[in-house]
Amino acid sequence: MAPSFLDMEAAPEKAEKEVPPRMPPCLRVFVIVLFNFTTSIMLVNSVKCLYDLCGFKFPLFIASMHMVFSWMATTMFGASPDGEGQVLLPMAERIRKVLPFTILQAASIACSNLALTYLYPSYHEMVQSLTPLFTLTVSVLLEGKRYYCWAYWAMIPVCGGGAICSFNEVNFSLIGSMLSISAVVFRALKTMLQGRLLCEQKVDSITLCYYMSPFNLAILGTASALTEGWRPWRMLLTAESSFAEHSYLLMSLTVSSILACAFNILSYLTIKHLSPVGANVMGNAKTPAIIFFSMLIFGNAVAPLQVLGLIVTFCGIFLHAQKGRVVNK
């Protein structure tokens, strides 16, 4: 039987009311974590490429360029007051709620980039495996949260694996190690403050990146101007090297900045879906990939004891994922 005119006329209305199926929550979290791992691996190695392959050893300037791209991208693709249901915080509230963790993030980024001038990405990531322990400690001491006992036991292999990896590092640097540990401490404090804004006040990740970028740009840009001066600008704007080398530098800096923008947004999404401690524990899973690519690109050696440390770390990550939940009050 052919459809009547009334059926045909009602069909568009019915189609408009149909809602496309949403991605299952578990799959959505998996995709976010996967892309977060990928951008993190590429970002760390892109910064090291700028240092070693391009001779562009200006960590604060590079971090400033990362913030420029993050601010531009979030302004163009989402953080607009005209968006549906989007209400931007007034500037006074941004200063009160966003600026504190922005200062911590700027300090973490600066220490991390400076550490890479002394360390290979592989060893730097091994030190960064301590982040879950510091994040858990901050969560307990400053927020009063309590976890099941397995969450605390899991920190032993999670962080102990990083200690084992560091024990036999052939490219050890005390200054680089201290900078890398400082980055861990600042990141743990920053992550907890971010978690409050993302989870408790329901601020989306793109808007939070939009709030954060200009503050970080001001902090890092000022620090770069005071410590690095005009040297990075001269290297970028005056073609002292060959055309091919200059083009490669500009392309590498642009790619690194795009990766930083994507990593910032994906990191906020990961914190929102997994909680601050869970996000940092899962973040340790990217360490083997960063070590592999560091060996492949820069040729630094990795000892068998460090492989053992990675296995121990993964055991801790698995234990935390299975048992390390927050105790409900």
Side-chain angles (χ1 to χ4, degrees), residues 118-141:
Y118 297 93
L119 306 173
Y120 283 104
S122 55
Y123 177 63
H124 175 65
E125 284 303 313
M126 294 170 194
V127 177
Q128 299 307 294
S129 65
L130 296 171
T131 302
L133 175 62
F134 282 91
T135 307
L136 182 70
T137 304
V138 170
S139 177
V140 171
L141 295 180

Side-chain angles (χ1 to χ4, degrees), residues 123-289:
Y123 177 63
H124 175 65
E125 284 303 313
M126 294 170 194
V127 177
Q128 299 307 294
S129 65
L130 296 171
T131 302
L133 175 62
F134 282 91
T135 307
L136 182 70
T137 304
V138 170
S139 177
V140 171
L141 295 180
L142 299 186
E143 295 196 321
K145 290 184 178 180
R146 294 294 178 267
Y147 296 82
Y148 289 103
C149 63
W150 286 108
Y152 304 102
W153 285 111
M155 291 300 115
I156 296 176
V158 166
C159 301
I164 293 172
C165 291
S166 305
F167 181 75
N168 203 30
E169 172 61 29
V170 296
N171 303 296
F172 180 80
S173 165
L174 179 61
I175 297 176
S177 298
M178 295 302 295
L179 287 168
S180 189
I181 292 172
S182 299
V184 169
V185 176
F186 288 132
R187 185 182 300 110
L189 293 169
K190 177 265 302 183
T191 302
M192 298 310 305
L193 294 179
Q194 278 182 348
R196 291 180 184 178
L197 207 59
L198 287 165
C199 302
E200 297 175 9
Q201 301 192 19
K202 308 298 182 184
V203 176
D204 66 271
S205 57
I206 294 179
T207 303
L208 184 57
C209 189
Y210 172 74
Y211 292 157
M212 170 214 69
S213 300
F215 290 136
N216 263 336
L217 176 59
I219 296 168
L220 294 168
T222 302
S224 175
L226 292 175
T227 59
E228 298 168 344
W230 289 100
R231 290 175 295 162
W233 288 108
R234 282 200 302 267
M235 195 167 177
L236 280 178
L237 300 178
T238 59
E240 298 176 352
S241 55
S242 66
F243 176 78
E245 292 174 339
H246 191 247
S247 299
Y248 182 75
L249 170 60
L250 293 175
M251 181 185 68
S252 299
L253 183 59
T254 301
V255 170
S256 181
S257 299
I258 294 172
L259 288 171
C261 175
F263 174 72
N264 284 331
I265 294 173
L266 289 166
S267 295
Y268 301 155
L269 283 171
T270 305
I271 293 171
K272 187 170 185 176
H273 286 86
L274 292 180
S275 82
V277 176
N280 281 320
V281 170
M282 290 300 296
N284 279 17
K286 70 179 181 292
T287 303

